Structure formats: structure tokens, C-alpha cells
Amino acid sequence: MECTIQNSDYVGKRIDQVLPLLDSSLTRSQVQKLIKLKQLFVNDKNVKANYLVKLADHIVLDTKVNSELKPEKIPLAIIYEDDDLLVINKPRGLVVHPGNGNHEHTLVNALLYHVKNLSSIDASRPGIVHRIDKDTSGLLVVAKTNAAHRALAKQLENHTMHREYLALVKGVINENSGTIIGPIGRDKTNPLKMTVDPKNGKEAETTFKVVERLNAATLVEVKLKQGRTHQIRVHFNHIHHPVIGDQVYGHLNRDRVNDGQILHAYQITFIHPRNKKEMTFKAPIPEYFKKAVKLYR
């Protein structure tokens, strides 16, 4: 996007308010994110979100994919693909996107190798609309265009994209179903962990249904409302049924499995951004998950 301010109606307003008026496909939060990524230039300089627009300001929004990201020939299980999006079945052990200075061996690197076009709204994470943890397997929807990205992100925000998981958790849950409600925030004692924080946390709701009761474990089907960081892992740990194998959360839940949580995103439902039809995809249960269930059966 590139333009010069010629309308006096925009003068004196914050840049993060003006850009959505100039491009209706942008939201204010998206503009703020792009500003943090230093992808917005006013008169050839990066500005802050509270910059007040002036007449004749030349605005450039540069959303080119980060040149530091390199394509890698990593196998991908593509469940579905069209001109707007892909649905990927991510294997356990694969990080979704680069972070902390690491630009290699992620799903993003694999996507850059296999897919010609990816959305560039977040140049550090091309195509990535949402994520799942490294040791969680399962379905992700990936955007090829910025329009698809915005539409899918809006569904996440409005909770109209539905994601369902299977989890093997410690102990026997007596209730056949239930809802866990607890705001989630950063753990003050460990920045790598999240915790239920009623005072400062963000709203989070997780519903579950028991699929099978095993020997000292329960197989559950889980649905997320918000999708906070580590939401399933934090919530089940909070009710003293941590996910089996989780190396970050829980106590005595790694006695038989100690190489990551037994958690699989097996189903995703969303509205296609172009044809507006509801689409549902399922991923088969992976072998690592079957093996863990067998250990407790």
C-alpha cells in the first residue's frame, strides 16, 4: 500500500486510525502490529501508532516477506489447498514459525519451499493465521493471500473458527463433560509458562467431553473458545488433570511418556473467505498418540 495524504479530514488523526479508513481490509490492531514490525513508513521513516497524520504525508506499508527466512525442503502433509489457503497437518516436533533469532527448521520455512504465494500481513510469519505448540500435532489453516488472512483472522477473533483436539490427561475424570473457565496470563515466576490469573489474565474457556476412561488417565475431546497460548495445557493442569507427557505443566504426568504432551488438533471448521461455505477437515490420529493411549489402556 502506498499513498499521499491529500484529504484534510485525516489530518491530526492517529496513523493507526487513518490507515483502516484508507484501506477497509485493514483493522486498527493489524496496523499496530505492522508498526511494531517496522513495516510502516511515513515520509521514509518508521513511526509509532500515535503519530498524527499531516497533509502531504507519504505513507508506505511494506509487507514483503522477511528476507532472512529461507525455504527448506521439509515434508508437508497438505490436507487441502486452493488459491486462497491451505490446511496443513503439522507433525509433532515441528515449530510453527521462527522466533528468538531462530529462522530455520520451522513450518514457515517448509511453506516457503512448497507454496508459491503466502500472505504477508506479518512478514516474520508469512501465511500463519494461528499456531499450535511444537509438540502438539494437527491441523492449521494457512493463508495464501492477505485478504484470506484477514478473513480467517476475523473468524478467530469472533470465535467462528472452531478447533477441536484430542488430549490424554492424567487421572480419571468422573464427569462426562465439563467447561473450564479461567483467565490466562504470563506466569510471573517463569516467563516461559502461562497460568490461570484471575486478576491480570485474558478470558479463556475450554470445554471437554470424555471419550474413554483408561488406567490412571482419561482420553478427552476438547474445544477451545479463545485459543490462548497453552490454553488446553494450562486449563487441564489447573484442574489437576495435566496433559500426559507435558514437559512444562503438571506433576507425575511424565512417568510413562516424557517427550511432549499427548495433544492432537484433529478437526478444524471455518468459513471459506472467498465462497463463504463452511469447511471442516479432520486429521488422522498419529502413531505417537495411539502408542501413548495403549500404554494407559
Side-chain angles (χ1 to χ4, degrees):
M1 173 186 175
E2 184 172 355
C3 68
T4 300
I5 299 298
Q6 298 176 328
N7 188 335
S8 60
D9 291 343
Y10 299 137
V11 174
K13 293 183 178 179
R14 288 169 55 116
I15 189 73
D16 61 345
Q17 293 176 315
V18 169
L19 280 184
L21 298 175
L22 295 172
D23 183 347
S24 60
S25 66
L26 289 171
T27 66
R28 188 173 179 181
S29 63
Q30 286 170 344
V31 172
Q32 291 169 348
K33 192 171 185 178
L34 292 167
I35 288 171
K36 287 181 180 179
L37 292 168
K38 298 188 182 302
Q39 292 175 259
L40 177 67
F41 298 85
V42 178
N43 304 324
D44 298 321
K45 294 180 180 179
N46 290 122
V47 296
K48 295 183 178 180
N50 62 358
Y51 173 83
L52 300 180
V53 171
K54 301 178 182 65
L55 203 63
D57 272 347
H58 184 64
I59 299 173
V60 176
L61 193 59
D62 182 4
T63 56
K64 294 178 181 177
V65 171
N66 190 332
S67 61
E68 293 182 19
L69 299 174
K70 304 300 181 185
E72 292 184 53
K73 192 177 181 180
I74 300 171
L76 278 183
I78 299 174
I79 302 295
Y80 173 83
E81 181 175 8
D82 61 25
D83 292 339
D84 300 289
L85 57 87
L86 305 94
V87 177
I88 303 290
N89 184 13
K90 186 190 83 69
R92 188 190 199 198
L94 182 64
V95 176
V96 170
H97 58 74
N100 299 322
N102 173 27
H103 296 278
E104 299 179 335
H105 316 315
T106 72
L107 176 62
V108 163
N109 298 103
L111 287 167
L112 289 171
Y113 180 89
H114 290 280
V115 184
K116 184 177 180 181
N117 296 310
L118 291 168
S119 67
S120 58
I121 285 178
D122 185 338
S124 66
R125 305 173 184 181
I128 301 301
V129 179
H130 63 113
R131 60 181 291 276
I132 53 179
D133 298 329
K134 174 185 176 182
D135 288 326
T136 299
S137 57
L139 297 175
L140 285 165
V141 60
V142 175
K144 285 187 170 184
T145 68
N146 288 352
H149 191 127
R150 294 183 187 105
L152 293 167
K154 194 69 175 177
Q155 292 180 50
L156 279 171
E157 183 182 342
N158 295 339
H159 313 308
T160 53
M161 179 185 292
H162 304 294
R163 292 165 289 166
E164 281 136 50
Y165 295 72
L166 286 174
L168 184 65
V169 302
K170 176 191 171 186
V172 176
I173 298 177
N174 294 321
E175 297 82 7
N176 291 329
S177 61
T179 300
I180 308 167
I181 299 175
I184 292 177
R186 188 71 59 182
D187 191 322
K188 293 180 176 63
T189 63
N190 185 342
L192 299 178
K193 295 177 67 173
M194 308 299 287
T195 189
V196 170
D197 183 349
K199 185 178 179 180
N200 300 309
K202 293 182 179 180
E203 180 185 9
E205 183 176 316
T206 303
T207 60
F208 69 88
K209 180 174 67 176
V210 170
V211 177
E212 184 180 356
R213 294 182 178 90
L214 307 169
N215 180 20
T218 306
L219 180 62
V220 291
E221 180 185 272
V222 185
K223 295 182 181 180
L224 296 179
K225 186 173 183 180
Q226 290 82 11
R228 306 298 182 197
T229 300
H230 300 175
Q231 181 170 327
I232 293 173
R233 299 161 65 190
V234 171
H235 269 174
F236 277 93
N237 185 49
H238 183 66
I239 65 168
H240 309 296
H241 290 287
V243 180
I244 294 294
D246 194 328
Q247 295 179 312
V248 177
Y249 302 97
H251 178 61
L252 300 178
N253 57 325
R254 297 179 289 276
D255 55 341
R256 304 186 202 182
V257 178
N258 193 29
D259 57 354
Q261 63 270 9
I262 307 303
L263 183 59
H264 179 61
Y266 83 96
Q267 183 168 295
I268 189 167
T269 300
F270 56 87
I271 305 299
H272 193 282
R274 186 184 297 268
N275 61 33
K276 309 304 179 185
K277 293 182 180 179
E278 184 177 87
M279 306 183 80
T280 297
F281 299 93
K282 292 185 178 182
I285 309 304
E287 289 303 315
Y288 84 87
F289 199 108
K290 294 177 181 178
K291 182 179 178 181
V293 170
K294 189 175 180 180
L295 284 173
Y296 284 87
R297 182 170 281 148

